[in-house]
Amino acid sequence: MATNGRMSVVEDLVKYLDTSMNKLNRIWTEIGIVDYQRKERAQTAMLHLQNLLEDMVQEEEALKHQITKRIEKYTQEVKSLCSELEIPQFEPCGKLSMLQCEKDLRAKVDSLSGEKQERLKTLKMLKDQDQLLCDAMCLTPYYIPTGSTPSNDQLKALEQHVNSLKTEKEKRFAEFVSKKKQIVELFHEIDRNPQSDFECDVICEEDTTFLLSTENMKSLKVLLTELEEQKEDMQKEVCALWDRITCLWDRLEISEAERSHFRKDKSGIKPALLETLKAEISRCEKLKFDNIQRFVEGMRKEIVEWWDKCFYSREQREQFTSYYNENYTEALLDEHDREVQKLKKYYDGHQHLFESLEKWDSYFRQMIEMERKANDPNRFNNRGGKLLQEEKARKKVLKDLPKIEEDLKETVLKWEAEHGCPFLVEGVALDDFIQRQWTAYEEQKVKEKEQRHKAKARLMEEEMIYGSKPSTPAKKRFLTTPTKTPSKLRKLDDGSCSRISVQLNDTTKTPMSCSKIQHSSVFASPSMRAPMSASKYTPGCKTTRRRSLRGNRKVLTERNMGPPPSALFSHTTSGIQMNSTLTYRRKPPLGI
């Protein structure tokens, strides 16, 4: 393509030169210039043309040389900038012309120079910020060699360092402001004034002037901790003094009016309050020795309360023999005081165990109480869904009690493994204590069941002798249709059933008695011989015989006084319930 262009130029130049020479020859002919002069003039024209072309060539050669030098210069600058900026070297494309290469190199130099200036500007800004932050926190500035251009990695690291310092300064300043506020409040609460130069700097100077150095922040933390510990110690001391005063007041039976008068304006933990409380304790101690007997008796009540809280057994309680000493002296008072402190210390050392044990004991007692209510025949005489609520509560207690018992055992086992000694409840191990409670509960249930059976048998015997006592008025009894017939009566168990069947066989032989059984929900009093204790029967005198039976029933009832009759109709073990008309029906389960 270039060769074709060059040949076209040559042809054009030859054509232009031929045209020009023809014009010159024609002009020379018209002028009349001879041939040798024409030849000279033609050579002169060629000489001018050669000189012109040579000058043009020289100028272009000079231009080429300048371009080459500039390319070399830009190349060196690019290499130097790439080295300073720590970036890969720039390599121009080999197929580019000199002008294009020079242009690319010049643009690259300008770009790298701008990046260098930007880095230096950023470096100066970051170093200034770093210096200010380091001065505020007494830290060493970030090191970057002077006179060199920082790399991107160095600038990023410096920027991260500055950002971290900013964050640290903000954190320290916020921590300082917060702790200063707490310190000022603590100084006010404990009534203390600044004692050192550092405390004065913290309390009295402006927040922005405080030097947030590492040492100062540590000292600030130490000061706050010291003040908090001092406050905590003073609070403990004040609480102990108040507890001591309250204990003395209780034992001395100080009136509530006098207590309220003393408590007025007695809040806080300042030293003046401590002195006032100590003075009150001294006054009460003096009164204590003036009323030793009353004081000892009050302490004995408190000891009993602590014994109950610590689940002490009778043997453990009897070990404190001073409890039974009636010689009221200061030594006896001191012994009681030491016993109270010992019990308090023991309870505090095992408080979490006793709290778990008290929780189990509370649920166990709730279970017993709910079982008692479930066996109460009057529980159906309620309105408003109270029975359903009680049943839900009972189910919840029965569900939670095993979990609480298991958690208690695990807690005690863990404590025993850590301390290497057993945890005693009423003088025995926890498992034995729980087993003893359950055994006592089961024995009590069996005992109550036997009592109910005996009372039930006595009541049946009385009813078979004197007739059943109706639970409803006579009008209502005979207006209703019987719900069950004698053929559907359930067979009774044990010996009472056989006794009833014998009495029925002996006393219900007449058609009249059978008719009464079939058409009434109440058994009539059977016709039988009066007991020996009854008055003599006079034929035709029904009133006398009825009065005799009533008197005998009353005497027998008073003699065999046992559990109330209402308890005889709630035996949940056998699942059978008897109504007042000797009609038996299956008792529905609870909750239905």
Side-chain angles (χ1 to χ4, degrees):
M1 187 71 181
T3 303
N4 294 334
R6 186 174 62 81
M7 293 300 296
S8 176
V9 171
V10 171
E11 290 177 357
D12 292 341
L13 181 60
V14 171
K15 183 178 179 180
Y16 179 77
L17 181 60
D18 184 54
T19 302
S20 298
M21 291 304 295
N22 290 331
K23 289 181 179 180
L24 288 174
N25 286 325
R26 186 172 61 252
I27 293 171
W28 289 338
T29 301
E30 291 177 355
I31 294 174
I33 296 176
V34 295
D35 292 336
Y36 73 91
Q37 290 180 342
R38 293 181 180 180
K39 187 176 180 180
E40 290 178 356
R41 287 179 182 275
Q43 292 179 351
T44 302
M46 285 298 296
L47 184 60
H48 282 295
L49 185 58
Q50 288 178 357
N51 293 335
L52 177 62
L53 291 175
E54 288 179 359
D55 291 341
M56 292 180 65
V57 170
Q58 290 178 359
E59 290 178 0
E60 296 301 326
E61 288 289 344
L63 178 62
K64 177 183 177 182
H65 183 67
Q66 293 176 0
I67 292 173
T68 302
K69 286 186 176 182
R70 287 199 293 270
I71 289 174
E72 292 176 356
K73 175 186 174 183
Y74 292 150
T75 302
Q76 292 298 327
E77 290 181 359
V78 167
K79 288 182 179 180
S80 177
L81 290 172
C82 288
S83 299
E84 291 181 8
L85 299 176
E86 296 184 2
I87 60 176
Q89 292 292 333
F90 176 74
E91 295 292 341
C93 184
K95 296 181 180 180
L96 297 177
S97 63
M98 295 179 67
L99 291 175
Q100 187 64 38
C101 182
E102 179 195 8
K103 181 180 178 181
D104 293 346
L105 289 173
R106 184 171 63 250
K108 189 65 176 177
V109 168
D110 293 341
S111 174
L112 294 177
S113 298
E115 184 177 353
K116 177 181 178 180
Q117 295 301 322
E118 186 67 25
R119 288 189 185 184
L120 293 175
K121 182 179 178 181
T122 303
L123 175 64
K124 184 177 182 304
M125 179 186 67
L126 293 176
K127 290 188 71 174
D128 292 341
Q129 295 178 7
D130 181 50
Q131 189 65 42
L132 291 175
L133 294 170
C134 291
D135 293 340
M137 294 183 288
C138 295
L139 299 175
T140 304
Y142 190 85
Y143 175 74
I144 291 181
T146 306
S148 62
T149 304
S151 63
N152 286 328
D153 295 338
Q154 289 177 326
L155 290 177
K156 288 180 180 179
L158 179 57
E159 185 178 4
Q160 292 177 357
H161 176 71
V162 171
N163 291 334
S164 64
L165 290 182
K166 288 180 180 179
T167 304
E168 182 65 21
K169 181 182 178 183
E170 293 175 357
K171 179 182 177 181
R172 290 188 182 185
F173 185 75
E175 182 181 356
F176 166 71
V177 172
S178 175
K179 289 184 177 180
K180 178 181 178 180
K181 183 178 178 181
Q182 298 178 37
I183 290 172
V184 171
E185 293 177 355
L186 289 172
F187 267 102
H188 177 71
E189 289 180 5
I190 63 178
D191 196 15
R192 173 177 167 178
N193 295 322
Q195 299 175 356
S196 63
D197 294 338
F198 179 76
E199 293 179 1
C200 292
D201 293 339
V202 173
I203 300 299
C204 305
E205 298 296 334
E206 295 291 335
D207 295 348
T208 54
T209 60
F210 183 77
L211 191 62
L212 302 173
S213 63
T214 305
E215 294 298 327
N216 283 353
M217 297 305 296
K218 289 182 179 179
S219 301
L220 187 69
K221 186 177 180 179
V222 170
L223 176 60
L224 179 59
T225 304
E226 177 185 349
L227 293 174
E228 288 177 344
E229 291 177 353
Q230 184 177 356
K231 177 185 175 182
E232 185 177 357
D233 294 339
M234 295 178 71
Q235 285 178 339
K236 290 181 179 179
E237 185 177 2
V238 169
C239 291
L241 292 175
W242 274 116
D243 292 341
R244 182 62 177 167
I245 290 174
T246 303
C247 181
L248 291 170
W249 282 348
D250 293 339
R251 293 170 182 173
L252 294 172
E253 298 181 356
I254 302 297
S255 63
E256 187 63 32
E258 187 176 351
R259 298 185 187 190
S260 301
H261 179 72
F262 180 80
R263 289 195 185 100
K264 187 177 181 181
D265 300 331
K266 295 296 190 302
S267 61
I269 57 173
K270 294 183 178 180
L273 177 63
L274 294 175
E275 296 299 327
T276 303
L277 296 178
K278 291 178 181 178
E280 177 66 12
I281 290 176
S282 299
R283 186 184 72 85
C284 293
E285 289 287 347
K286 184 178 179 181
L287 293 175
K288 179 182 72 173
F289 289 107
D290 296 338
N291 301 270
I292 290 180
Q293 180 176 354
R294 187 175 61 179
F295 211 84
V296 169
E297 291 175 353
M299 293 185 72
R300 285 177 176 175
K301 294 179 181 179
E302 186 177 354
I303 287 174
V304 171
E305 293 178 357
W306 284 110
W307 280 344
D308 294 338
K309 284 186 177 181
C310 297
F311 290 86
Y312 264 36
S313 63
R314 179 178 298 178
E315 292 77 8
Q316 289 176 304
R317 301 184 186 204
E318 291 177 351
Q319 291 177 2
F320 182 61
T321 57
S322 299
Y323 185 86
Y324 310 98
N325 191 352
E326 300 298 333
N327 185 17
Y328 299 101
T329 60
E330 294 183 8
L332 182 65
L333 181 62
D334 293 338
E335 290 179 3
H336 280 72
D337 192 17
R338 287 193 295 270
E339 181 67 14
V340 170
Q341 299 302 325
K342 185 186 77 171
L343 292 171
K344 285 183 179 180
K345 183 178 179 181
Y346 178 72
Y347 183 83
D348 293 339
H350 308 77
Q351 185 173 0
H352 64 290
L353 299 178
F354 286 126
E355 288 176 352
S356 301
L357 183 58
E358 288 172 0
K359 184 178 180 181
W360 177 87
D361 187 65
S362 174
Y363 269 76
F364 188 79
R365 294 180 183 276
Q366 290 181 33
M367 180 196 69
I368 295 176
E369 180 64 19
M370 290 178 177
E371 288 289 342
R372 185 190 65 79
K373 291 182 179 180
N375 293 330
D376 186 3
N378 297 324
R379 69 186 186 280
F380 296 102
N381 301 330
N382 71 88
R383 296 294 186 269
K386 184 178 179 181
L387 183 62
L388 182 59
Q389 296 175 2
E390 291 180 356
E391 182 63 20
K392 289 183 178 179
R394 189 175 73 89
K395 289 182 178 179
K396 184 178 185 303
V397 170
L398 293 176
K399 179 182 178 182
D400 295 342
L401 184 59
K403 297 179 181 178
I404 296 173
E405 183 174 325
E406 187 67 26
D407 294 340
L408 174 61
K409 290 181 179 180
E410 291 180 359
T411 304
V412 171
L413 287 175
K414 184 178 180 182
W415 184 90
E416 291 178 345
E418 291 177 355
H419 295 79
C421 60
F423 176 71
L424 301 180
V425 182
E426 293 187 359
V428 297
L430 177 66
D431 292 340
D432 296 338
F433 170 77
I434 293 177
Q435 183 61 35
R436 188 167 63 184
Q437 296 294 321
W438 281 106
T439 302
Y441 168 67
E442 295 296 337
E443 291 177 354
Q444 183 64 23
K445 286 177 62 177
V446 173
K447 184 177 180 181
E448 292 176 356
K449 180 180 177 181
E450 292 176 353
Q451 291 177 353
R452 287 195 297 268
H453 275 301
K454 292 179 181 179
K456 187 175 180 181
R458 287 196 299 269
L459 182 62
M460 289 182 179
E461 182 180 356
E462 179 185 351
E463 287 181 348
M464 295 309 301
I465 297 174
Y466 303 106
S468 61
K469 184 179 179 180
S471 59
T472 57
K475 292 183 179 180
K476 294 185 179 180
R477 282 188 283 127
F478 291 101
L479 287 176
T480 57
T481 304
T483 56
K484 293 185 181 292
T485 60
S487 61
K488 297 181 180 180
L489 294 178
R490 300 285 184 180
K491 290 183 179 180
L492 294 176
D493 53 357
D494 303 332
S496 60
C497 180
S498 60
R499 288 196 299 270
I500 294 174
S501 63
V502 170
Q503 294 294 337
L504 288 175
N505 292 333
D506 294 340
T507 60
T508 58
K509 295 179 179 180
T510 62
M512 181 62 69
S513 61
C514 294
S515 175
K516 289 181 179 179
I517 293 175
Q518 294 176 357
H519 297 285
S520 175
S521 61
V522 181
F523 279 102
S525 298
S527 299
M528 63 179 295
R529 187 172 57 188
M532 298 295 294
S533 61
S535 59
K536 185 177 294 185
Y537 172 72
T538 302
C541 185
K542 298 182 179 180
T543 303
T544 304
R545 180 176 179 274
R546 187 179 298 111
R547 289 177 180 174
S548 175
L549 293 177
R550 291 176 182 173
N552 292 335
R553 185 189 303 117
K554 182 177 181 182
V555 171
L556 184 60
T557 303
E558 292 176 353
R559 185 181 61 190
N560 299 327
M561 183 63 66
S566 58
L568 303 176
F569 303 94
S570 58
H571 184 47
T572 58
T573 305
S574 61
I576 303 296
Q577 182 177 6
M578 182 178 71
N579 61 8
S580 61
T581 61
L582 295 181
T583 302
Y584 295 88
R585 65 176 183 270
R586 179 67 59 179
K587 179 182 175 183
L590 292 176
I592 299 180

